[in-house]
Amino acid sequence: MFNSKIMSTDTVPKPKIAVIYYSVYGHIRTLANSICEGITEAGGEPVLLQCAETLSDEILAKMHAAPKDESVPIANAADLPTYDGILFGMPTRFGMAPAQMKALMDSTGGLFFKGELVGMPAGCFFSSGSLGGGQETTALTWVTQLTHHGMIYVPMGFTEKIMFDPSVFRGGSAYGPGTIAGGDGSRQPSKEELAIAVHYGKMFTSTADALKRGRAAQNA
């Protein structure tokens, strides 16, 4: 009986991972692309989504924001339970998630009361203007959102060897991949930061796949 259950997981579809981001200057979008690359390499199906913008065109123009990629769909709370894992990418705003990402989570009340995200693996990635700019506090305060939904937070840990190299100037931490944008947003994600993002995409997908297969075997 045990072996037949294990064999039955061979027909389980590959995990579908939502990568939801909010990006003003493109840094988080670049990290999201690398994470999607890692998801694909690990045998998963990445679904790239972006948060709805809450700022006016006038304000965005004054911020010199990069144009939005209209080809990327807007994330919808109602669709979140259809994924096998969710990764949230966000810039720091005074050590917390930006209002646009928070607005998405604030719209999940109906999912919360039905428990539709319970057991869903989730993680985050982030950017800040400088070292010590709030990347870890952004992750820590985002974990509270996941916790209230009963989601399974999948941190990166120190599973990528680059993270042990003190000579490399980079963003990110055990909580997830990250990048340093610079005070004026001119610094772009480095090759090391992108490599870490690819690694996390692979690692997260492996975890989501194991959960999906385990649950399929349990229900077989």
Side-chain angles (χ1 to χ4, degrees), residues 97-185:
Q100 293 81 358
M101 185 63 75
K102 188 63 169 60
L104 172 63
M105 193 58 81
D106 286 348
S107 70
T108 61
L111 303 180
F112 169 77
F113 284 109
K114 295 179 181 178
E116 293 194 50
L117 296 180
V118 173
M120 172 83 69
C124 58
F125 54 103
F126 27 76
S127 69
S128 60
S130 64
L131 284 173
Q135 293 194 12
E136 291 196 346
T137 57
T138 297
L140 283 168
T141 51
W142 191 250
V143 167
T144 64
Q145 313 293 309
L146 311 180
T147 300
H148 279 259
H149 275 285
M151 301 173 82
I152 302 173
Y153 174 50
V154 183
M156 183 169 62
F158 281 80
T159 56
E160 166 54 61
K161 63 182 180 180
I162 298 172
M163 299 176 68
F164 288 98
D165 188 346
S167 69
V168 176
F169 179 81
R170 59 163 181 79
S173 70
Y175 297 95
T179 186
I180 307 295
D184 60 358

Side-chain angles (χ1 to χ4, degrees), residues 169-194:
F169 179 81
R170 59 163 181 79
S173 70
Y175 297 95
T179 186
I180 307 295
D184 60 358
S186 61
R187 182 183 182 275
Q188 296 302 310
S190 66
K191 64 179 182 180
E192 291 85 2
E193 290 168 335
L194 295 179

